Amino acid sequence: MRVLEIDHPLVAHKLTVLRDATTHSSVFRQLADELVTLLAYEATRQVRVGDVEISTPVTEMTGTKLTNPKPMVVPILRAGLGMLDGLTRLLPTAEVGFLGMVRNEETLEVTTYANRLPEDLTGRQCFVLDPMLATGHTLIAAVEYLTERGASDVTCVTLLCAPEGLAAMEAAVDPDIDLTIVTASIDEKLNEKGYIVPGLGDAGDRLFGVVD
């Protein structure tokens, strides 16, 4: 498992504003979108490409294009939706699937309640979007869901990670899977409620408001 913590002043600046409890949800959404685009630049570094012959206004040349099958972008509902535009801005030809997953706040166990994905993901590069890698349970379940359908190359893009979640993922995910975690920050720890510290609170609530 590869872990990339992006060290860039713009990433650090935008993340600081996201962490601030006084940041309004509209600003939070905008900055999260911008931050994901910065993370996506690194997350797509190993995206599969091939040669293509083109004509410039001056001469013929061999260029580069994305190859088939197209990458699959998978936001985890609901908070991952706030990250979708930030990544597809760099991969506009990617296909988009969805996974609906909910975590029991007492047991921290994850249940999948919805999916919109192809049955066969063999040969597809998958980019999973979830703002927080806290306990790791949600992303572990998501990666297992994808690999059961044939995916062997999965990149998870997160705003924050907890060390406990990273350790849980490394222990749980099949070592034969090409797994990469791209994040803006590896934070200090989880608290007793399973929230990342110092963190930024509940990303879904801060993106979309509190749902009763």
Side-chain angles (χ1 to χ4, degrees), residues 110-149:
V110 177
T111 302
T112 301
Y113 64 86
N115 89 84
R116 185 69 173 175
L117 290 167
E119 286 298 319
D120 186 2
L121 291 170
T122 303
R124 303 289 291 268
Q125 286 185 294
C126 296
F127 295 87
V128 181
L129 307 179
D130 196 12
M132 318 292 278
L133 198 175
T135 63
H137 294 172
T138 299
L139 279 176
I140 289 169
V143 171
E144 289 177 345
Y145 204 94
L146 297 173
T147 56
E148 286 170 0
R149 284 156 178 74

